[in-house]
Amino acid sequence: MNASRNAKKSSSVCSMVQGNENGAERNENSAFPYETFASTPEEQPLNVSTNVLLVYRLDEMRHLENVNFALAMMCLAYCGINITLVGVNYVNSHNDHPPVSDKVYHLIEFWGTFFFAVVECISLTSTPKSLLRIYYNPIVLKLILFFNIVATLLPALLVSMNLEEFEIISHQVEYLNELTMSFVDLVLLWSLCQFKSANIIMAGISSIVAIVQLAVYNGMGRTDDGDMVGEVPAHYLEFAFEIISSLIAFWFCMDNKFVAAKEIGLILYGSHRDCNICGANFQEFSHTYYP
């Protein structure tokens, strides 16, 4: 029994080696270095290539697949944080002695927002897709992302140093930054759904989100202690928006993971010369770096 199995294995190995040699001979005069030489998957389940760059590309796609899966889990964690903050916001607003201190509550709120801004930035810079297919101007998109990180880090540092002194100004900066955060979310959503005439719609919705939150926070006046009356309803709007944002980012990261897995399959089993991802990346590179 074992002898017959070993014979089968040795014969299959020999056939694969012979297929590799024949494939190499046929590939010398080919315009494309990547070809599949087996007639059936049973004869040769994996593609054969003399192009060493495909090994690098395969490792890169595996890395991006793992990174985007980890980012997707972080998006779900941020969604859970905001759901928790909705409950805490309700409980604290209906108790004379809030069970959760304002310091802890706002630290989780602001540092969670900064954490999510970093996740969004990494997800856009770690996508296997061309940025031209996500937004027509990749440089502007990257600038908005970097500004988003700075604008979320600033209020987080301020409330960490002195909550009572910097709470109001930190909320003002955070709600104003909803303009960029909502724009990034809409860019991600547009890249997934490919809506037509989406640029004006994205800019309009981004502006409305920021204006509504600022209007609710500032337009309801102040208490006798100097606190903002609209802080509680503005928090509800903020957390609801962040829950939606985290789910959009989760969808985007999982889509990146599936795109990377698809290209891995093309490299190993399919015809990688027809890969749309590589063609789009070449177009982005030529538009960005060629004169």
Side-chain angles (χ1 to χ4, degrees):
M1 193 73 167
N2 292 332
S4 62
R5 289 181 179 175
N6 292 334
K8 290 181 179 179
K9 288 182 179 179
S10 61
S11 62
S12 62
V13 170
C14 292
S15 63
M16 290 180 69
V17 172
Q18 184 178 2
N20 289 347
E21 293 176 351
N22 295 335
E25 292 175 359
R26 285 195 296 266
N27 198 40
E28 289 179 354
N29 299 323
S30 175
F32 298 94
Y34 186 83
E35 287 186 354
T36 303
F37 304 115
S39 58
T40 62
E42 289 77 15
E43 296 178 11
Q44 178 111 11
L46 294 178
N47 287 325
V48 177
S49 173
T50 58
N51 187 353
V52 295
L53 292 179
L54 284 179
V55 178
Y56 167 79
R57 184 64 175 173
L58 181 63
D59 290 339
E60 182 186 21
M61 287 300 102
R62 284 173 174 166
H63 172 72
L64 291 180
E65 185 182 18
N66 295 330
V67 167
N68 279 280
F69 181 75
L71 293 174
M73 296 302 102
M74 293 179 187
C75 292
L76 292 182
Y78 184 63
C79 179
I81 289 174
N82 281 279
I83 293 174
T84 303
L85 290 176
V86 170
V88 173
N89 189 45
Y90 176 82
V91 173
N92 280 6
S93 62
H94 288 78
N95 282 278
D96 295 333
H97 301 285
V100 180
S101 67
D102 282 345
K103 182 76 172 180
V104 174
Y105 174 71
H106 284 91
L107 285 177
I108 295 175
E109 173 193 354
F110 284 101
W111 282 109
T113 304
F114 170 71
F115 157 80
F116 182 65
V118 174
V119 169
E120 279 191 323
C121 183
I122 296 176
S123 68
L124 273 169
T125 55
S126 300
T127 177
K129 297 175 286 188
S130 169
L131 286 180
L132 284 175
R133 294 198 171 189
I134 298 175
Y135 191 65
Y136 73 96
N137 195 331
I139 296 177
V140 172
L141 182 58
K142 291 176 182 179
L143 289 176
I144 292 175
L145 284 171
F146 295 144
F147 176 79
N148 189 24
I149 290 179
V150 174
T152 52
L153 178 61
L154 176 61
L157 291 174
L158 289 177
V159 297
S160 299
M161 291 184 287
N162 192 321
L163 176 61
E164 295 181 357
E165 181 69 24
F166 299 118
E167 179 182 358
I168 294 178
I169 186 62
S170 296
H171 277 110
Q172 303 283 10
V173 173
E174 182 185 29
Y175 294 150
L176 185 61
N177 187 51
E178 295 290 347
L179 180 66
T180 60
M181 292 189 67
S182 58
F183 182 79
V184 172
D185 293 334
L186 291 168
V187 167
L188 300 183
L189 184 62
W190 178 83
S191 70
L192 295 168
C193 301
Q194 294 294 320
F195 296 122
K196 294 183 178 180
S197 302
N199 292 331
I200 297 176
I201 297 175
M202 287 190 295
I205 296 178
S206 304
S207 302
I208 291 173
V209 169
I211 291 172
V212 167
Q213 288 196 349
L214 285 170
V216 171
Y217 185 71
N218 294 290
M220 300 180 67
R222 293 175 178 260
T223 63
D224 296 335
D225 298 331
D227 296 329
M228 305 298 289
V229 176
E231 181 177 359
V232 173
H235 274 150
Y236 283 124
L237 291 175
E238 174 191 354
F239 299 146
F241 172 76
E242 296 298 343
I243 290 172
I244 297 173
S245 297
S246 63
L247 294 178
I248 293 175
F250 167 77
W251 183 11
F252 180 76
C253 292
M254 289 303 296
D255 186 68
N256 287 340
K257 179 185 181 302
F258 294 144
V259 168
K262 181 179 179 180
E263 184 165 355
I264 291 174
L266 286 174
I267 293 174
L268 295 178
Y269 308 107
S271 180
H272 189 257
R273 70 177 68 177
D274 299 325
C275 179
N276 294 327
I277 303 168
C278 292
N281 285 332
F282 172 77
Q283 185 180 10
E284 178 189 346
F285 178 83
S286 61
H287 285 184
T288 305
Y289 298 103
Y290 285 2

